[in-house]
Amino acid sequence: MALDQLKASLSAAPGPIGGKGLRGRIRAPGDKSISHRALIFGALATGITEIEGLLEGADVLATAEAMRAFGATVEQLGGGRWRVTGRGGLSEPAQVIDCGNAGTGVRLIMGAAAGYAIAATFTGDASLRGRPMMRVLGPLGQMGAAWICREGGRLPLTLKGGGLAAIRYVLPVPSAQVKSAVLLAGLNAAGVTEVIEPEPTRDHTERMLRAFGAEVVVEDAADGRHIRLAGGQRLSGAAIRVPGDPSSAAFPLVAALITPGSEVTVEGVLLNPLRTGLFETLREMGADLVIENARDEGGEPVGDVTARHSALHGVEVPPERAPSMIDEYPILAVAAAFAEGRTAMRGLAEMRVKESDRLALMAAGLAACGVGVEEEPDALTVVGSVRGNHPVRGGARVTTHGDHRIAMAHLVLGLAAVEAVSVDEPGMIATSFPGFEGLMRGLGAQVG
Ligand code: S3P
């Protein structure tokens, strides 16, 4: 276990080492969403799937272990290089599937497993055991899967699949995890499964289904995006190159935007338009954010993103942008704390059912650091500092409830505040961003 996973707290002190700002070129770890999917699709497919750039964070490693339990051969070939040998389907696991902290892992695997006449029992850490699973169990039940679970649709739960019939399902919440679970179940359902999403969400599942040889029809209509998938299609192993995670790149990039004298480039960042809401919002706030070397890598748009210290101002973030930046509101709230004026973020109800109640924890953490915040059931308003005469104080020890993004967001705040900020449970950062501490130190940040 890495040293930072054993620490009881981690601190970020203001002012970069040498006082010159944060500087450097780095690569963000592999995209978490695509990494989970590459392993799951590899196990469902027939033949060999070679993956490059896999995120080797705890969440994804739990999915790798789960795919072994369902019968696939999963091998690590070297840093970020993995090989999955799929058997063209899942077999019944002999052990409980522990997905750790990963909502994406457990919900997508449940969708995939529902297509087979097998029983599987799922659990996770305390955070995951508190998160709602009915959003996935509901549609899987309509397709014919059975389950038994704890009160309120919580883990641990046992799912029994097989004999599914396709459904037409309108997403009640904008969730790519729910969409993906229904589509994965639809692969082994009789008939054509149709998911309708009133607000488009990340489309990595649709893209990857195609990369593995399946036919998926996507149509935009007045009531939203319609995704259709005929059951009984077979997947064949594919070569997958995982781009850098924009949700992780966001932390060093915002650190550069708020720290005087900084210029940081993150190379190879995934720029799928359904993931770039944060970059769009930061630009509206006046951020000097430049994309270079835009290219296509394995069916996904990718580029190198450079952030320079910028004078930011507050904005109203439209609620319809939320699905394209749902994991980025914690770090956006930090950027907003250093902006001039108010930043209002609405349509955030889904933030409350992430790894923690992120809306409540950001409001509490920012307030503890001396930032003006207003919390509503589905909105957060941050009152920015007026440059110079109302600095962000910092100086708090922030409770993260084991949430990696709450931890990283407050550490970034600490880099540009007046007093150091520390966070509890820093080991959880490794769920999505292993090596965060060292990488930030390499840029000149005082983290330790
Ligand atoms: C993800 C979808 C989002 C996001 C999560 C990853 C995915 O969750 O918050 O980190 O890979 O599909 P929801 O689908 O629940 O919004």
Side-chain angles (χ1 to χ4, degrees):
M1 187 180 276
L3 193 60
D4 58 354
Q5 283 173 266
L6 298 170
K7 287 182 183 165
S9 75
L10 190 63
S11 297
I17 298 160
K20 289 202 191 74
L22 304 173
R23 301 208 149 239
R25 290 181 81 85
I26 54 173
R27 267 197 93 84
D31 186 71
K32 185 151 73 74
S33 294
I34 295 178
S35 294
H36 281 298
R37 285 165 174 79
L39 292 167
I40 297 168
F41 277 76
L44 291 171
T46 303
I48 291 178
T49 290
E50 297 261 1
I51 309 168
E52 237 184 89
L54 189 86
L55 168 66
E56 289 169 346
D59 273 13
V60 175
L61 296 180
T63 290
E65 201 46 48
M67 291 304 100
R68 285 190 184 114
F70 278 102
T73 304
V74 183
E75 301 157 276
Q76 185 182 22
L77 306 177
R81 288 184 47 241
W82 288 65
R83 180 189 294 140
V84 182
T85 309
R87 298 212 177 139
L90 304 183
S91 48
E92 189 166 271
Q95 68 263 49
V96 172
I97 303 299
D98 185 345
C99 289
N101 192 242
T104 305
V106 77
R107 293 192 179 114
L108 269 59
I109 297 169
M110 286 198 294
Y116 298 91
I118 56 174
T121 300
F122 296 89
T123 192
D125 69 6
S127 154
L128 194 58
R129 281 183 272 123
R131 293 179 68 185
M133 295 299 146
M134 273 322 289
R135 51 181 54 201
V136 169
L137 295 174
L140 295 182
Q142 288 176 31
M143 297 173 89
W147 70 85
I148 181 157
C149 65
R150 278 173 61 225
E151 182 65 29
R154 313 280 158 181
L155 298 170
L157 66 83
T158 297
L159 184 71
K160 177 103 174 66
L164 302 188
I167 53 167
R168 183 175 188 272
Y169 192 68
V170 181
L171 286 186
V173 284
S175 166
Q177 293 178 0
V178 177
K179 169 177 66 176
S180 302
V182 175
L183 290 173
L184 286 169
L187 267 178
N188 283 304
V192 176
T193 294
E194 181 172 23
V195 179
I196 298 153
E197 41 178 13
E199 298 169 81
T201 65
R202 66 190 70 194
D203 60 357
H204 310 306
T205 296
E206 297 90 307
R207 287 174 188 252
M208 210 177 276
L209 278 165
R210 291 195 181 113
F212 279 77
E215 200 183 313
V216 192
V217 178
V218 179
E219 262 171 32
D220 286 317
D223 60 347
R225 184 163 284 183
H226 292 232
I227 303 132
R228 281 190 290 274
L229 175 78
Q233 301 191 60
R234 311 263 45 109
L235 304 181
S236 321
I240 300 292
R241 188 158 176 194
V242 183
D245 196 330
S247 304
S248 298
F251 296 102
L253 291 172
V254 169
L257 291 175
I258 62 174
T259 307
S262 299
E263 177 173 333
V264 168
T265 300
V266 187
E267 297 172 353
V269 180
L270 172 69
L271 295 173
N272 179 315
L274 294 164
R275 297 286 298 280
T276 49
L278 174 73
F279 297 151
E280 195 179 341
T281 306
L282 289 170
R283 282 223 180 89
E284 289 171 4
M285 295 172 79
D288 181 351
L289 213 51
V290 176
I291 293 169
E292 284 169 314
N293 201 9
R295 57 201 185 269
D296 187 281
E297 266 183 24
E300 293 275 4
V302 165
D304 304 336
V305 185
T306 298
R308 293 184 192 86
H309 176 243
S310 304
L312 302 175
H313 55 81
V315 293
E316 294 257 338
V317 189
E320 59 275 13
R321 199 176 288 164
S324 69
M325 55 177 297
I326 192 64
D327 292 337
E328 282 67 79
Y329 285 101
I331 191 64
L332 175 64
V334 169
F338 291 88
E340 197 167 335
R342 296 161 67 87
T343 296
M345 301 166 249
R346 299 183 214 290
L348 306 188
E350 279 294 297
M351 256 183 99
R352 294 202 184 270
V353 290
K354 294 295 175 189
E355 286 83 326
S356 67
D357 178 345
R358 288 184 172 157
L359 195 42
L361 288 190
M362 280 317 295
L366 289 174
C369 291
V371 178
V373 282
E374 291 156 28
E375 180 189 349
E376 291 167 67
D378 69 347
L380 183 68
T381 299
V382 174
V383 185
S385 60
V386 178
R387 203 159 291 281
N389 58 29
H390 170 214
V392 173
R393 190 191 70 229
R397 184 171 196 276
V398 174
T399 303
T400 66
H401 289 189
D403 188 318
H404 51 126
R405 297 199 206 284
I406 297 297
M408 289 185 280
H410 285 95
L411 289 170
V412 168
L413 181 144
L415 297 177
V418 177
E419 294 168 34
V421 171
S422 66
V423 299
D424 64 358
E425 303 184 65
M428 293 304 287
I429 291 173
T431 59
S432 68
F433 203 149
F436 170 79
E437 183 185 338
L439 188 137
M440 292 302 293
R441 262 211 300 272
L443 294 173
Q446 297 198 62
V447 182

